[in-house]
Amino acid sequence: MPKIKVAPMHELIKRAGAERVSKEGALALGKVLEEIGLKIAKEAIDWAHHAGRKTVKAEDIEMAVEKILKR
């Protein structure tokens, strides 16, 4: 079970335009977002270490998103 709360997932799906959202649908989105988030976080840690830092900064996250999501 994902550690991301169900209520924010409901809200995200509704903001995307859904009229109704099942609990299972919200849980599924939470699971996927957690998986993607972990990949991005690990990549951001690599960027920070490459820069000689222990602290992950916003710029590390942004570069990791670019690489992971290929934006």
Side-chain angles (χ1 to χ4, degrees), residues 4-68:
I4 297 176
K5 302 286 184 193
V6 174
M9 297 305 99
H10 273 274
E11 180 62 27
L12 263 176
I13 297 168
K14 286 211 167 220
R15 282 188 3 212
E19 288 186 37
R20 299 175 65 191
V21 182
S22 71
K23 182 177 179 181
E24 293 79 16
L27 285 170
L29 178 61
K31 182 180 177 188
V32 169
L33 290 179
E34 188 173 325
E35 290 172 7
I36 293 169
L38 282 171
K39 287 180 183 179
I40 291 170
K42 288 177 182 178
E43 183 66 28
I45 291 167
D46 289 345
W47 281 104
H49 288 168
H50 180 73
R53 292 183 274 107
K54 292 182 181 179
T55 303
V56 175
K57 295 184 175 186
E59 61 207 42
D60 301 318
I61 298 293
E62 292 165 4
M63 288 189 287
V65 168
E66 289 284 330
K67 181 175 179 184
I68 299 296

